[in-house]
Amino acid sequence: MKSLLTVRSATCRLGPSKSLKIDKFEIRQGEHWCIFGANGSGKSLFAELLASRRIESNSYVEYLPGFDPKRDIHFVSFEEQQKLWQSDNRLDMSEYSDDMRDKGTLVIDLVKSSRMSEHQDLPFLETLAEKLSLEFYLEEGIRFVSSGQVRRALIARALYAYNGPTTQLLIFDDPLESIDVESQSKIKSTIAELSDNFTIIQLCRRPEDLLPSITHTAVMHELELIEQGEHDQIKVTASYSDLIEKGPKVPKRLPVAVLESVFGDSEQPLIQLNRINANYGSLQVLKDFSWRMMPEDHVLIEGPNGCGKSTLLSLINGENHKAYGQDVVLFGKKKGTGETIWELKSKFGVVSNELHNKYLKGWRVLDVVVSGFFDSVGLYDQSGAGEKGIATEWLDALGIGSLARSYYQEISFGQQRLVLLSRAMVKDPRILILDEPCVGLDNYHRALILGVLDLISKQTKTCMIYVSHTQNEMPNCINVRLSFIPDRAGPSVIKIERL
């Protein structure tokens, strides 16, 4: 097999004291590599080097003759998804359209964008859409489908590209994250079915997320490639096991500002929804849904991508205008009876993919956390020593205090998630909404997050609404489950049970 790319004696500097070092690395055509490592180990930086997205690539990476990395390499990652959403939202013309709903980029156009117009293969595109359960969303805008559905569309775009006229290298950064269980199975089988026709690099934080097609593994640790070879030989070594089995250091106490918080002991529901409806055009997402969240409840919301979970959350926290005019009661007050959006926001802390996507370049980690006091994306209000002190204590509690002066966009995706949890908790919220908070985290940091959430449930009066696609991934404090059960005849049926 021919060498697709080779790296020799590479160094990528991240600052005066940090640099990625790769002595030698080679990928041959037909091989499928997993680059494995914890958050911050250097996986994404290594992938950028291989994909010619770093200036150092010209010096250290040699490609197969005729291989053009800008044309022949396709990324699927949350960073790519983030850029896509940001670009599409900047062009949103909804306020000027007749129905106040500018679709923007359609799913089908996103998938087709990986090929030149003269190389379109619509029958193959339709086959991919069916295999990845996208056939009913092709004419929908990416703004109006779930995070998991956009993820599947990006995977379809990469797979659609391979069947073009040139050699393809597909880089998947944790492709199964934010995907429901049934869709994960479809993604794995589709990639495996087509994998003889291209080369894969999978960036992976957890061994259980490995694609079945993987033939070789490279282990990253603290910005160094410490081991590489055939997958069956690498995965049982001590270095590999140490990286995935390290236990988290969950703090024993949370910051004092949270411990001293006092909420009323009222027995009235925190949230009360009475026969709520929500639809997008002709698609009805919620129908006559009623539910009460009591002060002692910690709630799990589960269901497949696109079933309505995010719509429900947005109706509760004030982000969705469809809540107005309906019987929505929050903290004893009916929505739309005089409260401001900022009064509502002050009672909620949020960690979500959508919030993650809103933070652009230029903000330091400490500023991001302090902005939680003002419910702003970025820090524009004058903050004092008190706010900064509480923010610093939360960063220390989550083990990332050393990152306070770092720029948010320069730390790993998983570390950004920990920053957002700190941001959500600094203002002492009555309800903490966690929309897939463990996305992008390795097993160490997932256990850390879940441990901190259980600590929050014990040491504060904050209640949680937790959304997850990963089976058995939830804090121990969860005592109520809302299960969205898809119904082909209409909106999902929502089953409510106390655990």
Side-chain angles (χ1 to χ4, degrees):
M1 292 185 292
K2 294 181 180 180
S3 175
L4 187 62
L5 62 84
T6 304
V7 182
R8 293 185 177 89
S9 304
T11 300
C12 294
R13 297 197 178 277
L14 296 179
S17 60
K18 283 188 175 183
S19 60
L20 173 75
K21 296 180 180 179
I22 307 294
D23 291 333
K24 185 177 180 181
F25 181 72
E26 180 182 30
I27 295 180
R28 294 180 176 275
Q29 287 180 310
E31 294 177 344
H32 301 304
W33 280 81
C34 168
I35 300 178
F36 184 90
N39 291 117
S41 61
K43 301 183 302 298
S44 297
L45 182 58
F46 188 18
E48 290 176 357
L49 176 70
L50 298 177
S52 195
R53 295 189 173 189
R54 298 278 304 185
I55 192 171
E56 298 93 340
S57 301
N58 294 329
S59 302
Y60 301 124
V61 185
E62 180 180 346
Y63 301 99
L64 178 73
F67 183 89
D68 181 352
K70 290 183 172 57
R71 177 195 65 199
D72 298 332
I73 295 179
H74 298 271
F75 260 91
V76 175
S77 68
F78 270 104
E79 286 77 6
E80 293 297 308
Q81 193 165 330
Q82 190 175 18
K83 293 176 185 176
L84 175 65
W85 266 325
Q86 290 168 354
S87 174
D88 204 63
N89 287 334
R90 282 196 296 269
L91 301 174
D92 188 355
M93 301 290 288
S94 295
E95 62 182 299
Y96 303 107
S97 63
D98 292 337
D99 60 356
M100 298 295 289
R101 190 171 185 264
D102 173 21
K103 286 188 175 182
T105 302
L106 301 183
V107 171
I108 189 170
D109 292 332
L110 173 62
V111 177
K112 290 167 65 177
S113 67
S114 61
R115 289 202 196 187
M116 300 295 288
S117 58
E118 63 267 27
H119 297 299
Q120 295 296 326
D121 183 352
L122 295 184
F124 179 55
L125 188 154
E126 292 173 358
T127 298
L128 277 177
E130 184 177 356
K131 288 179 178 295
L132 296 175
S133 299
L134 289 170
E135 66 268 38
F136 300 113
Y137 306 103
L138 289 176
E139 299 297 330
E140 187 56 271
I142 62 173
R143 298 178 193 144
F144 302 100
V145 297
S146 71
S147 173
Q149 289 165 334
V150 174
R151 189 80 161 165
R152 299 207 304 269
L154 288 174
I155 292 171
R157 181 176 71 167
L159 294 175
Y160 185 60
Y162 96 81
N163 204 29
T166 59
T167 303
Q168 302 292 333
L169 171 62
L170 308 186
I171 300 179
F172 296 115
D173 188 350
D174 272 329
L176 305 181
E177 286 277 26
S178 194
I179 301 292
D180 60 74
V181 175
E182 181 179 352
S183 297
Q184 285 185 15
S185 177
K186 291 181 178 180
I187 289 170
K188 288 180 179 180
S189 62
T190 301
I191 292 176
E193 180 182 338
L194 301 173
S195 62
D196 288 343
N197 302 287
F198 49 82
T199 298
I200 294 172
I201 297 176
Q202 180 189 4
L203 310 188
C204 187
R205 301 168 179 86
R206 308 193 309 156
E208 54 265 44
D209 293 334
L210 282 167
L211 295 172
S213 310
I214 294 302
T215 60
H216 293 71
T217 296
V219 181
M220 298 291 298
H221 183 57
E222 295 183 349
L223 300 177
E224 290 192 20
L225 178 56
I226 62 173
E227 202 163 4
Q228 59 179 301
E230 293 185 8
H231 176 65
D232 289 342
Q233 298 176 1
I234 294 293
K235 70 178 182 179
V236 296
T237 62
S239 60
Y240 189 98
S241 299
D242 289 345
L243 287 175
I244 64 177
E245 294 178 359
K246 185 180 179 183
K249 296 180 179 179
V250 178
K252 294 181 179 180
R253 303 283 289 180
L254 296 178
V256 173
V258 175
L259 291 173
E260 292 179 347
S261 66
V262 177
F263 290 109
D265 294 326
S266 171
E267 292 301 315
Q268 70 179 5
L270 300 178
I271 298 170
Q272 187 164 348
L273 308 178
N274 300 307
R275 300 180 67 84
I276 298 302
N277 294 281
N279 62 282
Y280 296 95
S282 60
L283 177 64
Q284 186 156 22
V285 180
L286 297 174
K287 182 178 181 180
D288 294 333
F289 174 60
S290 299
W291 169 57
R292 295 196 306 170
M293 180 178 179
M294 302 304 293
E296 69 276 7
D297 290 349
H298 298 290
V299 182
L300 171 68
I301 300 179
E302 61 180 13
N305 299 129
C307 65
K309 302 186 299 297
S310 295
T311 297
L312 176 59
L313 294 182
S314 66
L315 290 171
I316 292 170
N317 67 13
E319 297 288 346
N320 195 324
H321 69 278
K322 295 179 184 295
Y324 292 98
Q326 300 201 65
D327 194 355
V328 177
V329 180
L330 302 176
F331 312 106
K333 190 172 184 179
K334 187 172 181 178
K335 195 165 185 178
T337 56
E339 83 286 0
T340 68
I341 186 66
W342 300 109
E343 287 173 340
L344 283 179
K345 283 181 175 291
S346 68
K347 296 180 174 65
F348 289 99
V350 178
V351 178
S352 68
N353 291 327
E354 184 178 1
L355 178 62
H356 201 142
N357 292 333
K358 289 181 178 179
Y359 273 93
L360 303 175
K361 295 181 179 180
W363 298 108
R364 294 189 185 274
V365 165
L366 184 60
D367 292 337
V368 173
V369 178
V370 173
S371 71
F373 284 104
F374 308 101
D375 294 304
S376 59
V377 178
L379 186 59
Y380 304 96
D381 294 272
Q382 188 68 34
S383 60
E387 288 94 343
K388 291 180 180 179
I390 294 171
T392 299
E393 289 179 6
W394 269 103
L395 290 172
D396 289 339
L398 295 184
I400 53 173
S402 62
L403 301 177
R405 300 303 300 166
S406 300
Y407 282 101
Y408 180 78
Q409 76 273 11
E410 293 178 350
I411 64 177
S412 74
F413 189 92
Q415 290 166 334
Q416 290 173 351
R417 284 279 153 159
L418 296 174
V419 172
L420 291 183
L421 178 58
S422 299
R423 177 190 180 277
M425 286 304 301
V426 289
K427 65 177 178 180
D428 194 10
R430 187 65 181 97
I431 294 179
L432 178 60
I433 294 179
L434 301 144
D435 192 354
E436 299 183 276
C438 292
V439 164
L441 298 183
D442 55 42
N443 279 344
Y444 173 91
H445 287 96
R446 285 172 191 252
L448 174 60
I449 286 282
L450 296 178
V452 170
L453 294 180
D454 278 325
L455 203 59
I456 289 172
S457 73
K458 295 174 182 177
Q459 296 187 3
T460 80
K461 292 291 185 70
T462 295
C463 294
M464 297 173 208
I465 299 177
Y466 188 99
V467 179
S468 177
H469 287 117
T470 304
Q471 287 184 317
N472 301 319
E473 181 186 274
M474 60 182 180
N476 293 325
C477 62
I478 294 296
N479 53 20
V480 176
R481 177 189 285 123
L482 270 62
S483 301
F484 281 69
I485 304 170
D487 186 344
R488 291 184 179 273
S492 297
V493 175
I494 304 177
K495 179 182 177 182
I496 304 173
E497 57 183 327
R498 187 162 290 277
L499 303 179

